[in-house]
Amino acid sequence: MQPRLRLPSPLTQLRDDRLARRDVRLLVKRDDLIHPELPGNKWRKLKYNLERARQQGHSTILTFGGAYSNAIRATAAAGHYFGFDTIGVIRGEEHLPLNPSLAYATSRGMRLAYLDRSTYRRKHSAEVVDALHREFGEFYLLPEGASNELAVRGCAELPAEITEPYDVICCPVGTGGTLAGIAGGIAGGIAGGIAGSPAAGPRAVGFCVLKGAQFLEAEVARLQRAAFGSVSGNWELAYDFHFGGYAKRTPELDAFIADWARRHGDVLDRIYVAKMMYGIVARAEAGWFPPGSTVVAVVTG
Ligand SMILES: *Cc1c(COP(=O)(O)O)cnc(C)c1O
C-alpha cells in the first residue's frame, strides 16, 4: 500500500512581530505535513534510497540510530508502506518496556538489534557491517540518520517547490544531510550541476542541534561532493543554538516554545525545529537579515 504524500509540502506565510519589526518576511515550508509517519526531511531522505534498494533487489533495509531516532521510526514506516523488512540497530542496551519511538518501530514490523556504545561508534566499518551480515543475511544499508548521497539528492528537490522569491532557507541540522541537499538544490541541484560559490542568490543556513558540531562543516561538504561532485559555497552552519546539546533543553527554550504556541498555535518540535526557530528570531532581532528579506524556515518535523 503506497502512502498518500502531501507534495509539494505546503508553504505558508507566518506573521511574527519580532521579524516584522525588522522588515523580515517569514515563510514556513511545512515538510512535517508530508505524511504523519514519514514526516519531513525523512521522507525526502528515504525516497531515492527506497528506489535504489528495490532496483538492487533487496528485501530488507538495515539502519542505525539512537533509541529516540526519527530516522529509525521513518525507516520502519517506509518498510511497512513499501514492502521491505526493516532492521533497526540501536545504540546502547535494550531497555524494556520499549520507549514510544522503538515501540512504534516494532509495531511497523521493524526488528531491533543493539550495539554497545564502542561498537556503535564503528558501526559503518567493514568489520561491524560484515558481522551484521553474518547475523541478518543480505540487506540494503542505510547509514545513521539516513544520510547519504541519495538522501541529499532527495532533499535537493525542496527549493524548487518554493514558488515565491526568497533570500534564505533555514533548516535544523543533525547529520547535515538535509542542509547539504537544500543548498545543492538552491545552487542548481543535480540536473543543473551545482555552481561552485555563487556570489549572489539565495543561501542556506543550518542550525546545529548538537553541541561541538564544528565537524559538520566537513561532513556537509563530503555529502555534497558525494551527491553532486562538488561543494556549493552557498551555505553556512550556526552553532550557537544547541541549548546544551542534542535533545537538551533549557527554561529559555521551553519559554520560547510556549510563547510560539501562543503566537502561532503550533507546538514546535523541541529537538530540532524549536532550536532553528529560536535561532531565526534571535538573528532577526540582531539585524542579521537585511530589511526586506524573505526567510524560508523548513519545518522538518
Ligand atoms: C532527522 C531530523 C533532522 C536532521 O536532519 P539531518 O539531515 O540529519 O541534518 C531535522 N529535523 C527533524 C525533525 C528530524 O527528524
Side-chain angles (χ1 to χ4, degrees):
M1 185 187 52
Q2 300 268 319
R4 286 243 318 266
L5 300 167
R6 194 160 171 200
L7 286 166
S9 63
L11 182 71
T12 54
Q13 185 169 345
L14 213 58
R15 193 193 146 82
D16 191 295
D17 293 340
R18 295 164 294 188
L19 277 68
R21 268 198 292 280
R22 296 286 176 167
D23 193 19
V24 174
R25 191 162 160 258
L26 179 64
L27 302 176
V28 287
K29 180 78 171 139
R30 293 293 305 269
D31 268 19
D32 58 317
L33 300 178
I34 290 175
H35 188 275
E37 294 173 89
L38 296 162
N41 63 349
K42 295 304 182 290
W43 165 251
R44 296 187 191 276
K45 295 176 86 168
L46 285 166
K47 176 181 167 186
Y48 291 117
N49 277 294
L50 297 171
E51 220 174 88
R52 176 72 56 87
R54 177 145 302 147
Q55 279 163 5
Q56 294 181 343
H58 291 283
S59 57
T60 302
I61 295 173
L62 177 144
T63 193
F64 302 94
Y68 291 90
S69 160
N70 289 339
I72 289 284
R73 292 173 62 106
T75 303
H80 167 77
Y81 285 110
F82 293 89
F84 292 97
D85 294 330
T86 54
I87 300 167
V89 181
I90 309 301
R91 179 181 57 233
E93 288 159 25
E94 180 177 38
H95 292 284
L96 293 173
L98 295 175
N99 72 40
S101 294
L102 296 181
Y104 167 81
T106 57
S107 81
R108 283 307 193 200
M110 182 175 262
R111 223 171 128 185
L112 300 178
Y114 296 85
L115 288 182
D116 66 77
R117 281 162 196 276
S118 84
T119 311
Y120 191 88
R121 272 192 286 278
R122 295 179 282 117
K123 60 193 167 300
H124 295 140
S125 71
E127 179 205 351
V128 175
V129 172
D130 285 349
L132 289 168
H133 275 298
R134 282 194 295 279
E135 191 171 348
F136 297 111
E138 72 81 26
F139 52 73
Y140 179 84
L141 185 124
L142 194 61
E144 181 178 48
S147 262
N148 60 9
E149 69 273 18
L150 294 174
V152 171
R153 288 186 189 196
C155 293
E157 295 177 347
L158 185 149
E161 293 178 11
I162 302 172
T163 47
E164 298 185 39
Y166 62 89
D167 300 288
V168 184
I169 303 183
C170 298
C171 68
V173 173
T175 63
T178 303
L179 176 67
I182 289 173
I186 295 173
I190 309 146
I194 59 175
S197 285
R203 304 181 63 76
V205 182
F207 292 83
C208 298
V209 304
L210 313 176
K211 191 169 156 181
Q214 278 73 6
F215 71 93
L216 282 168
E217 188 90 27
E219 178 59 8
V220 174
R222 181 189 75 77
L223 286 164
Q224 284 204 320
R225 267 190 296 273
F228 310 119
S230 61
V231 181
S232 68
N234 62 346
W235 54 269
E236 67 185 83
L237 291 160
Y239 298 111
D240 297 338
F241 304 102
H242 59 71
F243 293 89
Y246 183 75
K248 294 284 196 310
R249 60 208 285 185
T250 66
E252 199 183 356
L253 183 66
D254 289 344
F256 178 83
I257 293 169
D259 176 59
W260 187 276
R262 274 192 299 275
R263 286 171 190 265
H264 301 299
D266 283 324
V267 178
L268 300 172
D269 160 76
R270 71 177 176 81
I271 312 272
Y272 290 102
V273 178
K275 293 181 180 181
M276 168 190 67
M277 288 297 192
Y278 187 104
I280 291 172
V281 170
R283 284 193 162 195
E285 289 184 323
W288 200 83
F289 302 110
S293 300
T294 297
V295 174
V296 179
V298 181
V299 179
T300 43

